[in-house]
């Protein structure tokens, strides 16, 4: 079973930065593409970013140029560096295996609130 624990969220002013972390209990972590997703109240969960086992990355247009996904295979951790945050970035952020067929349950997520 896969366990994912997100952390690092909080309250930040527009234009500020946060770094999210996701600790994964994957026995073969290095083989998986990992992703970050977010869900705002009243909206569907949306994809934010993906990092492949090769280190290649993809980003949603809404965060491109502002967010950066990275991974530490030794620590089995995925990160999301978020810069120049906007109020519309407010959401609960989740990490998971990018391949739908390899996913278990979603974790608790971590709340990011961007407000002045």
């Amino acid at each position: 079973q896969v366990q994912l624990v997100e952390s690092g969220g909080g309250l930040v002013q527009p234009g500020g930065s946060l770094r999210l972390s996701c600790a994964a209990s994957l026995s073969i972590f290095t083989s998986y593409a990992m992703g970050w997703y977010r869900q705002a109240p009243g909206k569907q969960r949306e994809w934010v970013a993906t990092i492949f086992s090769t280190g290649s990355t993809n980003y949603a247009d809404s965060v491109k140029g502002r967010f950066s996904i990275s991974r530490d295979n030794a620590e089995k951790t995925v990160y999301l560096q978020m810069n120049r945050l906007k109020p519309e970035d407010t959401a609960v952020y989740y990490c998971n295996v990018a391949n739908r067929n390899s996913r278990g349950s979603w974790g608790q997520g971590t709340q990011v609130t961007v407000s002045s």
Side-chain angles (χ1 to χ4, degrees):
Q1 297 295 320
V2 177
Q3 282 192 304
L4 302 161
V5 181
E6 301 93 343
S7 62
L11 175 64
V12 64
Q13 294 183 29
S17 298
L18 283 174
R19 189 194 191 208
L20 307 184
S21 298
C22 170
S25 62
L26 294 165
S27 60
I28 50 172
F29 179 81
T30 56
S31 299
Y32 292 93
M34 300 293 295
W36 282 98
Y37 309 81
R38 66 187 183 186
Q39 187 168 30
K43 298 186 68 178
Q44 292 183 280
R45 178 164 34 236
E46 65 175 341
W47 167 74
V48 174
T50 298
I51 184 164
F52 297 91
S53 59
T54 59
S56 295
T57 58
N58 288 156
Y59 299 93
D61 288 342
S62 59
V63 307
K64 200 169 295 182
R66 299 189 297 120
F67 291 11
S68 180
I69 186 172
S70 61
R71 65 194 296 162
D72 184 334
N73 290 333
E75 296 293 328
K76 296 184 178 181
T77 303
V78 184
Y79 303 96
L80 185 68
Q81 178 66 47
M82 306 185 295
N83 300 319
R84 304 193 303 281
L85 283 160
K86 305 175 180 179
E88 50 263 47
D89 294 319
T90 295
V92 178
Y93 284 71
Y94 304 87
C95 66
N96 215 323
V97 178
N99 188 336
R100 286 185 172 90
N101 297 134
S102 298
R103 288 178 190 165
S105 300
W106 294 90
Q108 292 293 313
T110 186
Q111 176 72 51
V112 172
T113 302
V114 185
S115 177
S116 58

